Amino acid sequence: MYKFEKLARSIHQMIEDGIWKAHDKLPSLREQSELSGYSLMTVLNAYQELEAQGWLYAKDKSGYYIAERADLEINSNKEILPAQEKIQINSVVFNYLKDTQAHDIVPLGSAFPNPELLFNNKFMQLLSQHAKRKNSYLNHPNMPPGNLELRQIIAGRYQLQGISCHSDDIVITSGALDALNLSLQALTQPGDFILLQETVFYGAWQAAERLGLNVVTLPDDPESGFDLDAFEKALKQYPIKVCWLMLNAQNPIGYTVSAIIKKKIAQLLFQYQVHLIEDDVYQELNFGKEKPVSVKHFDQHNMVLHCGSFSKTLGMGARVGWVFAGSYSNAIQHVQLMSTLTVSPLLQNALVDFVAHHHYEKHLRSLRRHLDQNKKRFYQELKGRLPEDCQIHYFPTGYFLWVELPESMDSQQLYIDLLEQKISIAPSLLFRPKHTAQNFIRLNCSFEWTDELATTLDQIIYQIKKNKKA
Ligand SMILES: Cc1ncc(COP(=O)(O)O)c(C=O)c1O
């Protein structure tokens, strides 16, 4: 931890302990420097960090003062609803994605399943057949809300799960990220409050930063995956407009929330008139017999916009997703026509054939089986090697393992050290606010077990042990 972060943390603690109250003036930079023994620059950096997090505000030539939100949050139950903070994650994610792109890096930090498992020959054949047809490539009916047949097929898949859905409810998007972003943009204005899980896919933080939204975070609940009491408290306490939640094979932690809790979430959303954008990109990657249900399943009042995608089952080249938008379809198309416009007609046409002729279900069965096998093997190998003070959070869905390192460890440093050895891991800073514990990593365990993978894992363990000692 840098010196300025240490100082910022101790001032923050004093605010939490009620020593500093809203609008109190902090010691000047010089006074603070004398008091704390830190340099003027360190004090300035600490004050600026707290200002960026919304704990302080600066008055021209007069100095730094405690912000209103400090009182607001200290008076609320801070254990249940941790501080919102000014989000600054875009450059962290940008740098991470750039740094980990090189082809010679072992992609254990990747968000995509093993591409070998996603590649499907039949889908490629259908794509090439459509590529030879002018109409498949140029036809207009693929403009928003997207190819009608594909929307009918997706609506049919919802109906098979017992969810009433019509093709008009569906908007085809460029992957799930587009679906999530368009939904959030259609439902919010800058300055609105949204609710996110404390540890969540970085796309949610990025969207909130880009749209200038205030974020209230829901603490992680490793047992059930979701703390209903804290959720209700948040809905009562804050003027939350939209929640963005992931409840199936949650990225990065991996848990799946029970149907009972999802039903209750749907009831609370209606009671408090709050919308949910439900990120369900991994819904198909279950290993049991049944697909887990979504909150959408229990949504009687169109409070839930449910987002899915083919990119996590057919590869990043299949950038086709959708949102079950219901009556918000038009609002979403408005935003779409000003931004991502349309999705490749070629992909949409090939998907229609692929899904309609049951190739997709066959592909999913094989994908699930391989992911299940690879994850179990990776877990066993990792468990056998990890030091005892590390904990693996294992859930039987998806293709991630969330690993808790000793509290004293900084996963960002581990990430930097491993990147030098051409290994990528995903450090917790990508998924949770800066002020929270950062001793977690996400590992992609969708790869087949090989000698190379064993060597990589040994290198990771060696580095963990080395950093633990440092
Ligand atoms: C949890 C989660 N949601 C959404 C997305 C975006 O999906 P897509 O690639 O379909 O845009 C990702 C991609 O990594 C993800 O992990």
Side-chain angles (χ1 to χ4, degrees):
M1 192 187 292
Y2 293 106
K3 284 182 188 164
F4 82 88
E5 286 174 319
K6 270 195 190 152
L7 179 59
R9 197 173 268 197
S10 70
I11 298 171
H12 180 214
Q13 192 58 53
M14 286 197 271
I15 300 172
E16 292 214 332
D17 294 344
I19 298 169
W20 295 109
K21 297 255 179 330
H23 308 297
D24 282 353
K25 186 173 185 301
L26 278 178
S28 69
L29 298 180
R30 195 165 298 284
E31 285 164 350
Q32 184 66 267
S33 167
E34 281 166 13
L35 276 170
S36 62
Y38 288 117
S39 71
L40 276 177
M41 188 46 84
T42 301
V43 176
L44 178 64
N45 285 340
Y47 280 14
Q48 283 176 341
E49 172 75 8
L50 288 166
E51 188 189 8
Q53 290 176 9
W55 291 103
L56 303 184
Y57 63 95
K59 268 197 210 167
D60 262 359
K61 300 207 178 92
S62 154
Y64 283 86
Y65 294 78
I66 308 292
E68 287 267 0
R69 64 169 283 226
D71 270 6
L72 187 79
E73 282 174 20
I74 302 314
N75 291 338
S76 73
N77 185 343
K78 68 179 166 21
E79 302 239 309
I80 289 186
L81 296 171
Q84 319 139 27
E85 66 177 48
K86 184 154 187 286
I87 311 156
Q88 291 171 319
I89 199 170
N90 273 329
S91 33
V92 176
V93 175
F94 182 86
N95 292 336
Y96 169 79
L97 293 176
K98 285 281 168 201
D99 289 346
T100 53
Q101 254 171 26
H103 72 277
D104 57 347
I105 287 184
V106 189
L108 299 189
S110 167
F112 281 88
N114 176 2
E116 300 296 328
L117 300 180
L118 302 188
F119 187 85
N120 184 285
N121 271 322
K122 186 69 200 171
F123 183 55
M124 290 299 135
Q125 251 176 30
L126 290 168
L127 259 179
S128 77
Q129 281 166 16
H130 276 283
K132 290 178 195 139
R133 294 182 211 152
K134 195 169 158 194
N135 233 0
S136 281
Y137 178 63
L138 295 174
N139 60 356
H140 251 82
N142 291 289
M143 290 290 280
N147 183 305
L148 175 61
E149 281 176 283
L150 186 57
R151 288 187 288 120
Q152 283 167 338
I153 286 171
I154 293 171
R157 290 175 74 79
Y158 279 106
Q159 284 158 14
L160 281 177
Q161 292 176 68
I163 302 174
S164 151
C165 181
H166 187 270
S167 54
D168 289 346
D169 293 324
I170 304 292
V171 179
I172 305 291
T173 59
S174 176
L177 191 55
D178 192 34
L180 294 157
N181 277 321
L182 293 173
S183 304
L184 191 62
Q185 200 172 341
L187 292 179
T188 59
Q189 301 289 331
D192 281 348
F193 279 71
I194 64 165
L195 179 130
L196 302 181
Q197 286 143 309
E198 184 171 67
T199 307
V200 72
F201 168 52
Y202 47 74
W205 293 106
Q206 288 180 289
E209 178 177 345
R210 186 171 58 82
L211 297 173
L213 301 168
N214 289 304
V215 176
V216 174
T217 51
L218 197 62
D220 299 326
D221 182 331
E223 294 290 311
S224 69
F226 199 86
D227 184 338
L228 269 174
D229 292 338
F231 181 59
E232 180 158 18
K233 192 158 189 177
L235 298 185
K236 255 190 211 151
Q237 209 159 47
Y238 291 90
I240 290 166
K241 202 142 177 210
V242 174
C243 306
W244 169 325
L245 299 174
M246 184 171 195
L247 303 166
N248 289 329
Q250 201 259 10
N251 179 8
I253 302 180
Y255 56 77
T256 291
V257 170
S258 73
I260 296 172
I261 293 184
K262 285 172 184 149
K263 186 172 180 184
K264 188 74 188 147
I265 293 173
Q267 285 164 355
L268 288 170
L269 291 169
F270 179 60
Q271 185 181 335
Y272 289 92
Q273 290 295 295
V274 173
H275 282 100
L276 169 63
I277 298 173
E278 187 171 17
D279 181 352
D280 213 358
V281 277
Y282 301 131
Q283 193 192 27
E284 300 287 3
L285 303 182
N286 58 300
F287 304 154
K289 282 207 181 91
E290 303 271 317
K291 260 199 266 195
V293 294
S294 52
V295 180
K296 185 73 207 167
H297 186 90
F298 302 104
D299 177 32
Q300 308 286 318
H301 308 281
N302 199 28
M303 302 306 289
V304 181
L305 283 73
H306 184 261
C307 301
S309 173
F310 292 102
S311 80
K312 298 291 182 287
T313 49
L314 285 169
M316 53 163 72
R319 283 216 64 71
V320 182
W322 68 90
V323 45
F324 180 164
S327 58
Y328 295 96
S329 167
N330 257 334
I332 286 171
Q333 290 176 59
H334 265 80
V335 191
Q336 193 176 29
L337 283 165
M338 286 186 285
S339 55
T340 45
L341 194 59
T342 184
V343 180
S344 156
L346 197 54
L347 279 173
Q348 294 189 67
N349 283 311
L351 275 171
V352 167
D353 284 352
F354 188 67
V355 185
H357 294 113
H358 307 292
H359 302 301
Y360 190 46
E361 279 308 319
K362 193 169 159 215
H363 170 74
L364 285 176
R365 280 197 294 275
S366 153
L367 175 61
R368 288 179 190 132
R369 202 175 52 247
H370 283 99
L371 287 178
D372 187 14
Q373 281 165 5
N374 293 350
K375 183 169 187 169
K376 281 187 182 132
R377 177 72 193 262
F378 194 102
Y379 171 64
Q380 291 304 337
E381 297 285 348
L382 182 63
K383 205 165 98 176
R385 288 168 166 83
L386 262 187
E388 273 185 2
D389 50 0
C390 299
Q391 193 193 340
I392 311 173
H393 296 265
Y394 178 88
F395 298 92
T397 42
Y399 50 95
F400 294 132
L401 288 175
W402 185 240
V403 183
E404 190 169 348
L405 306 170
E407 250 174 57
S408 60
M409 280 190 69
D410 173 10
S411 61
Q412 184 68 9
Q413 188 57 51
L414 183 68
Y415 156 70
I416 293 168
D417 294 334
L418 288 169
L419 202 55
E420 278 176 16
Q421 300 164 53
K422 306 254 177 243
I423 298 168
S424 81
I425 57 166
S428 45
L429 192 60
L430 291 168
F431 310 104
R432 48 197 340 252
K434 238 190 332 186
H435 69 263
T436 59
Q438 294 300 343
N439 53 316
F440 300 86
I441 55 173
R442 186 194 71 186
L443 294 176
N444 183 323
C445 50
S446 61
F447 299 93
E448 205 159 319
W449 189 254
T450 57
D451 290 348
E452 286 78 20
L453 197 48
T455 309
T456 302
L457 213 50
D458 288 339
Q459 280 175 269
I460 295 177
I461 301 299
Y462 177 80
Q463 196 63 49
I464 289 176
K465 289 181 178 164
K466 191 170 164 196
N467 289 16
K468 222 172 69 163
K469 280 197 202 130

